[in-house]
Amino acid sequence: MYEIAIIGAGAAGGSAAIFTAKAGKQTVILDSSQSGTKRAWLDNHYGTAGIAGPDLLATGLAQAKKFGAELIETKVTGINKTTEGFQIQTENGSVEVKQIILATGGLTSLAEEAGITTKAGTEPRSKKVFDVDASGKTNVEGIWAAGACAGTSAHTIVTAGDGARVAINLISEINGERYVDHDVLK
């Protein structure tokens, strides 16, 4: 059983996975390769002189894998509550997890079927988003949401930051104290 499953490997999901895996949480990323960032050219992403969306995503996933995150390329077809967490159904089987971070961009239908409350979105491409609290929690205990599906601006710099923020909040809750991850030059 994984501690954390992140559904979606766009900027929000990849960023969340970097933090959860680096914190030592057994992390699996489930991705169906539908991120809108795969079609983007980014001249507005801090820290780069311009980067192709696929390159940004590949770099982020490589970072997450470096810290131990596992990537499963598959489509999620269902989420079911269990006594210990959740069973996530995919096209290729199922995955058992304790906590979930949804980072599904504009896709909300799957999680709605799991009972997650949605609300009207304010971004042009996000007509509906998950209704989350200030920490990123949905109304279903153990399911969090980050990025555009949680109502943030769809710019990669914003969604990546939101993925990190929600991951830090989840890690803090699991650990029972505020989690901080600051590296220093050596």
Side-chain angles (χ1 to χ4, degrees):
M1 174 179 276
Y2 294 95
E3 270 186 275
I4 300 168
I6 299 168
I7 301 175
S15 181
I18 290 168
F19 277 84
T20 59
K22 191 167 184 247
K25 308 304 179 195
Q26 190 177 18
T27 300
V28 63
I29 308 161
L30 303 168
D31 186 60
S32 62
S33 201
Q34 296 182 45
S35 173
T37 303
K38 290 191 174 216
R39 297 182 306 277
W41 174 259
L42 306 163
D43 268 334
N44 62 352
H45 198 94
Y46 178 82
T48 70
I51 188 168
D55 293 338
L56 179 76
L57 296 178
T59 300
L61 286 175
Q63 285 176 278
K65 288 177 183 179
K66 176 179 87 172
F67 296 121
E70 181 181 338
L71 173 64
I72 300 174
E73 295 182 32
T74 188
K75 182 177 181 179
V76 173
T77 58
I79 300 170
N80 300 305
K81 187 87 169 136
T82 66
T83 55
E84 294 184 28
F86 300 91
Q87 182 180 59
I88 301 173
Q89 301 296 325
T90 76
E91 291 178 322
N92 305 325
S94 64
V95 176
E96 301 284 330
V97 302
K98 293 181 182 177
Q99 304 268 342
I100 296 172
I101 297 175
L102 298 168
T104 56
L107 305 175
T108 58
S109 59
L110 172 71
E112 284 180 298
E113 294 171 15
I116 298 171
T117 304
T118 59
K119 64 182 182 180
T122 58
E123 291 293 308
R125 295 182 188 158
S126 300
K127 302 300 179 204
K128 193 184 297 184
V129 297
F130 300 121
D131 190 7
V132 296
D133 69 11
S135 65
K137 291 181 183 180
T138 70
N139 63 301
V140 176
E141 184 68 30
I143 300 182
W144 305 62
C149 69
T152 68
S153 170
H155 296 86
T156 59
I157 193 73
V158 177
T159 59
D162 196 53
R165 180 188 66 83
V166 172
I168 290 166
N169 290 335
L170 172 54
I171 297 162
S172 297
E173 184 169 289
I174 291 170
N175 292 352
E177 63 183 8
R178 189 67 181 162
Y179 176 73
V180 176
D181 176 11
H182 292 177
D183 295 323
V184 297
L185 292 173
K186 295 177 183 174

